[in-house]
Amino acid sequence: MIIKPRIKGFLCTTAHPLGCAMDVQKQIAHVQQSGTIAAGPKRVLVIGASGGYGLASRITAAFGCGAATIGVFFERPAVKNRTASPGWYKSAAFTRQAHAAGLYATNINGDAFSAELKQATIDLIKRDLGQVDMVIYSLAAPARQLPDGSLVRSTLKPVGEPFEGATIELNSGELRSVSLEPASQQEVNDTVKVMGGEDWELWMAALLEAGVLADGCMTTNYTYLGSEVTWPIYYHGTIGKAKEDLDRAARALQVPLAAVHGKAYVAVMKGLMTQAASAIPGMSIYLSLLFKIMKQKGSHEGCVEQTTRLFQNLFNGDALQLDESGRLRLDDWELQDDIQAFVKANWAKVTADNLMEISDFAGYRQAFLQMHGFDFPEVDYEAEIDPEVGMTLAFGA
Ligand code: NAD
């Protein structure tokens, strides 16, 4: 079949296997060019390993540190005329590349919130790796199924006050205004349940109890603070409440992890185009402005540049530089005064007419397309391609 992007709202319902493999290939190349991180972990579990920061972390661990990796994700293989999800194609490509490089890489596809999947992961670690040195929790999920079968949903809403903003239509480049009423307390609680620290704690408790965390094991989770202009919808919104809960969970985890001399860290990452970020109201304007100025200043990074810098900080032997809340800061370049001054000065000026000049909407749109495997100059999108790409899974289908 010939696969083209099919965009609906902020979603693209198709993905291209060769373009997704190209994305993985480019990330691997960046890690290899950045040099070996010799003191890095050698056995790594990544929860949320198929997209954005999780996939980039897995690539850095494998190709920067030579680590054996187990990847947990929730992705969809191709069926009939429907392509697989981008994360499926990228995980398949990563696995092929890791195996070709002589690295262990095994995948688990299913609901990471479930006790069954946690047990399957533990069984796999015991069978193949014995223990893990690092656990990267990089899940971004819209909903969580609880053990009683009920489904809790996360929302992206302001807290306390309504939100008025705008979003850019990916297809037309038109601006559409967005008005959101403040979240109810139930919506705040539900978002914390899905995206807060509880499931991270459950994972670590299960892994610890099973004896599969190596002495000195480190675990990380990712958060975002961002700019004042996005605080009303992000940091001060429902998702921000969930992110505050990660800081609580990181502190709480120090206690049980002491049994294995382990540590838990929250890392503050840069705002980037990922599946999860593309759904946040107002984020398209912010990221388009951010990309414009960071590219101009030569400080723009993608996910893999960020995770590689993170690993270099974590494993270079120096004392870790933490902020007053104990977090690692990889958003330092994003938050530099000159970068934020540009964003703030242009935030209210963006219109459909000047979008292409004052912002990097073209780069934002390209990042969106490339996330789905499109718009890579190296790929022939007119060629027939089989959408079915196989991947061996240790659990799931
Ligand atoms: P993403 O959408 O690219 O990846 C999410 C991952 O979670 C995928 O691997 C997906 O398969 C997996 N997943 C979702 N639901 C699952 C489930 N029920 N079971 C198993 N796997 C599941 O997201 P991302 O943007 O890389 O986000 C990862 C983390 O990074 C999040 O905590 C996010 O808040 C944080 N972060 C993102 C940004 C950004 O700008 N994108 C910035 C800072 C921090």
Side-chain angles (χ1 to χ4, degrees):
M1 97 195 234
I2 290 173
I3 306 173
K4 298 275 170 165
R6 212 177 297 149
I7 301 173
K8 287 185 193 152
F10 61 83
L11 292 175
C12 177
T13 56
T14 50
H16 200 283
L18 293 183
C20 287
M22 180 60 62
D23 177 48
V24 171
Q25 180 57 46
K26 284 178 186 276
Q27 294 194 49
I28 293 172
H30 171 79
V31 173
Q32 287 173 331
Q33 280 155 17
S34 304
T36 307
I37 306 167
K42 296 292 173 255
R43 298 164 296 178
V44 177
L45 168 63
V46 186
I47 303 158
S50 55
Y53 279 116
L55 174 66
S57 306
R58 190 179 193 187
I59 292 173
T60 301
F63 290 90
C65 312
T69 59
I70 293 177
V72 171
F73 46 74
F74 208 173
E75 299 297 343
R76 191 191 68 233
V79 273
K80 293 194 180 137
N81 281 335
R82 198 163 166 215
T83 69
S85 55
W88 177 276
Y89 289 139
K90 290 179 199 174
S91 297
F94 166 84
T95 307
R96 280 196 307 273
Q97 297 273 6
H99 290 171
L103 295 166
Y104 173 97
T106 303
N107 301 305
I108 288 190
N109 192 27
D111 183 10
F113 291 117
S114 73
E116 189 195 9
L117 187 140
K118 289 181 176 75
Q119 189 55 50
T121 308
I122 287 167
D123 293 343
L124 180 65
I125 296 172
K126 282 186 176 165
R127 190 192 79 187
D128 290 356
L129 303 178
Q131 292 185 317
V132 288
D133 313 306
M134 187 171 186
V135 180
I136 295 161
Y137 189 98
S138 187
L139 217 67
R144 170 176 173 186
Q145 186 161 36
L146 299 178
D148 66 4
S150 60
L151 196 69
V152 184
R153 289 186 186 284
S154 74
T155 47
L156 292 162
K157 284 194 179 178
V159 173
E161 285 174 31
F163 170 80
E164 295 290 337
T167 195
I168 315 170
E169 287 290 339
L170 275 159
N171 266 330
S172 61
E174 278 165 23
L175 259 64
R176 189 166 50 79
S177 53
V178 184
S179 308
L180 292 169
E181 286 305 307
S184 66
Q185 190 54 47
Q186 188 61 48
E187 286 173 318
V188 173
N189 297 347
D190 287 355
T191 306
V192 172
K193 193 88 183 158
V194 179
M195 285 297 286
E198 187 181 62
D199 187 57
W200 184 26
E201 290 178 277
L202 289 173
W203 265 99
M204 296 314 294
L207 295 164
L208 187 63
E209 199 195 345
V212 295
L213 298 182
D215 196 61
C217 181
M218 181 188 288
T219 182
T220 56
N221 204 321
Y222 294 134
T223 195
Y224 184 62
L225 301 184
S227 155
E228 262 171 55
V229 299
T230 59
W231 282 355
I233 190 63
Y234 196 95
Y235 190 47
H236 293 162
T238 46
I239 184 71
K241 298 289 168 209
K243 292 301 184 187
E244 269 173 32
D245 191 58
L246 289 189
D247 294 334
R248 176 206 58 75
R251 284 190 297 274
L253 276 169
Q254 310 300 342
V255 179
L257 286 180
V260 291
H261 307 103
K263 288 265 182 257
Y265 295 108
V266 169
V268 190
M269 308 305 272
K270 178 194 181 198
L272 273 176
M273 163 57 74
T274 64
Q275 203 99 46
S278 63
I280 301 171
M283 212 58 180
S284 50
I285 295 182
Y286 175 71
L287 290 180
S288 298
L289 289 169
L290 185 72
F291 290 3
K292 174 88 174 180
I293 184 70
M294 291 191 84
K295 284 180 187 175
Q296 220 170 64
K297 300 261 173 191
S299 60
H300 181 71
E301 294 172 298
C303 288
V304 80
E305 286 82 2
Q306 281 264 294
T307 56
T308 302
R309 196 149 69 87
L310 171 68
F311 272 58
Q312 286 164 346
N313 289 351
L314 284 173
F315 303 109
N316 69 2
D318 293 346
L320 291 178
Q321 302 283 321
L322 304 174
D323 70 9
E324 67 292 346
S325 304
R327 296 175 297 217
L328 296 147
R329 301 300 295 255
L330 275 295
D331 60 343
D332 45 355
W333 299 352
E334 171 177 354
L335 295 190
Q336 274 172 1
D337 290 345
D338 54 344
I339 302 289
Q340 287 304 316
F342 173 86
V343 171
K344 279 179 213 157
N346 289 289
W347 177 249
K349 290 189 196 156
V350 176
T351 64
D353 294 333
N354 65 18
L355 192 60
M356 291 297 185
E357 289 133 52
I358 68 169
S359 91
D360 184 28
F361 178 63
Y364 176 86
R365 193 167 190 278
Q366 185 183 46
F368 178 81
L369 288 169
Q370 291 194 337
M371 184 167 77
H372 297 87
F374 298 107
D375 211 20
F376 283 100
E378 301 89 342
V379 175
D380 177 4
Y381 292 103
E382 302 305 325
E384 283 280 342
I385 174 124
D386 185 353
E388 278 184 38
V389 173
M391 175 165 49
T392 314
L393 298 165
F395 176 85

